[in-house]
Amino acid sequence: MPRQQQPAARPAARPVRRRSYDQFDATARALDSVGDRWTLLIVRELLGGPRRYTDLHADLPGVSTDVLASRLKDMEQSGLALRRKLPPPSAASVYELTGRGHGLLPVLAALAAWGAPALAERRPTDAVRAHWFALPLLGALTGLTREGVLEVRLDEGEFHLHVGLRAGGGTGFVLPGAEAYGAVYGYGPADRPDARIVLGAEACLELAQGGTTLTEAVKDGRVEVLGDGPLAAELRGE
């Protein structure tokens, strides 16, 4: 009886290697980690604090579920983000930035300032979320000396920021009660804001680009300040 031929053994699968510029250069190494499409936008979302996968997907219109899952996995492997389970009674898992991931804040802030002039006209296909204005607006508020939580109301929605000089002399880029690498901004209205401002997206972008000052925008009525405390008074230029 003829011997049956055994199928050829398949070669062992090689681990998938992420694309690299293969350059001994700091910029190239950084882009190896964050140069893929969507990665920095995921960082932007996580600067607002821990988020569930479904929330990230909802606030990143246009990204597929496969791509989002792949980018999050890459960010975990690169030490930019981690995944953890929330304590009971919640059974959800959330993604949050590590210290290294949070170190991208000045990079995102610089990119937001650099890209702001390109927002002169909103395209019909452009999606928008209120909290996307948080990073551009932070740069316009760094000169405030009164520390507190500022609630921002736009037609597109609400978010809140921690502004003013902190005890150590740095700018208030972390919300009160946040952990070591806490939220730079918060989604929705604040529980107990020290002041509120109401403005349009156009005024917000003009502030971010340095086209006007907060004092000027308040005086000409493009920004309305609500509240009676020290932070509100400084925002009104009093």
Side-chain angles (χ1 to χ4, degrees), residues 18-22 27-36 78:
R18 294 188 61 200
R19 289 178 297 176
S20 172
Y21 290 100
D22 290 326
T27 302
R29 286 288 197 270
L31 290 174
D32 284 347
S33 295
V34 301
D36 286 334
S78 299

Side-chain angles (χ1 to χ4, degrees), residues 51-133:
R51 307 215 58 193
R52 297 180 299 177
Y53 177 90
T54 53
D55 295 330
L56 285 171
H57 189 255
D59 278 338
L60 289 168
V63 68
S64 70
T65 54
D66 289 344
V67 169
L68 178 57
S70 175
R71 295 295 181 271
L72 288 168
K73 185 176 181 180
D74 289 343
M75 290 173 67
E76 288 185 83
Q77 293 175 346
S78 299
L80 300 177
L82 56 86
R83 182 185 181 189
R84 65 176 174 88
K85 286 188 176 181
L86 294 176
S90 176
S93 294
V94 294
Y95 291 90
E96 60 187 340
L97 293 175
T98 62
R100 183 165 176 77
H102 205 274
L104 288 164
L105 169 58
V107 177
L108 267 293
L111 278 174
W114 183 80
L119 299 179
E121 183 177 349
R122 182 176 170 185
R123 297 172 296 197
T125 56
D126 281 344
V128 66
R129 301 289 188 274
H131 64 268
W132 293 352
F133 293 92

